[in-house]
Amino acid sequence: MRKPLLLAAAMLAAGCASAPSFDIETLKPTAEGEQISLTGRFELSGLQFRLFPGADDTCISGALTSLAGVPTPEYNNRTMTLTGELHLAETDAAGAIKDACNRGLVMLANEVVVPN
């Protein structure tokens, strides 16, 4: 019995500081100029990314602007916080961002940080 309790305590301690911060089902486009911050598991491919709020395959797609800086490879598959604008996919505002998650909504991120 002790091992499961210790493992659970370690998982809780590790997860407290970097828990995902959004419900993908409630996301909608941001107003012009409005910024939103989302925390989740980050997968990067070039400047395109996918951000996962949980353990399943549900995600939001996006792209980093040149202002965001490009995280180094060791940040791939880690919990990160991205800040930017949400746009309907396949609109002028979304530009060339691929909707790899098929959510109909994409993020243009101008900041990427490791959450506290």
Side-chain angles (χ1 to χ4, degrees):
M1 284 257 178
R2 266 182 117 186
K3 286 182 182 178
L5 288 176
L6 291 174
L7 179 59
M11 288 172 57
L12 283 173
C16 288
S18 59
S21 71
F22 65 100
D23 177 4
I24 202 153
E25 299 300 327
T26 62
L27 293 179
K28 58 186 177 191
T30 52
E32 186 175 334
E34 183 181 328
Q35 301 280 298
I36 187 170
S37 293
L38 305 175
T39 300
R41 185 173 55 83
F42 177 71
E43 287 186 358
L44 183 64
S45 177
L47 291 177
Q48 302 278 323
F49 65 82
R50 295 187 304 164
L51 193 65
F52 299 83
D56 63 13
D57 289 339
T58 304
C59 63
I60 185 167
S61 310
L64 303 176
T65 68
S66 60
L67 299 175
V70 179
T72 54
E74 65 265 17
Y75 290 112
N76 202 32
N77 281 317
R78 287 190 52 197
T79 299
M80 304 292 283
T81 298
L82 282 70
T83 301
E85 300 172 350
L86 298 178
H87 300 285
L88 290 175
E90 300 181 21
T91 62
D92 289 342
I97 301 173
K98 295 176 187 166
D99 186 13
C101 297
N102 297 313
R103 302 297 308 168
L105 190 69
V106 294
M107 181 180 213
L108 181 58
N110 54 34
E111 183 179 43
V112 180
V113 296
V114 177
N116 294 330

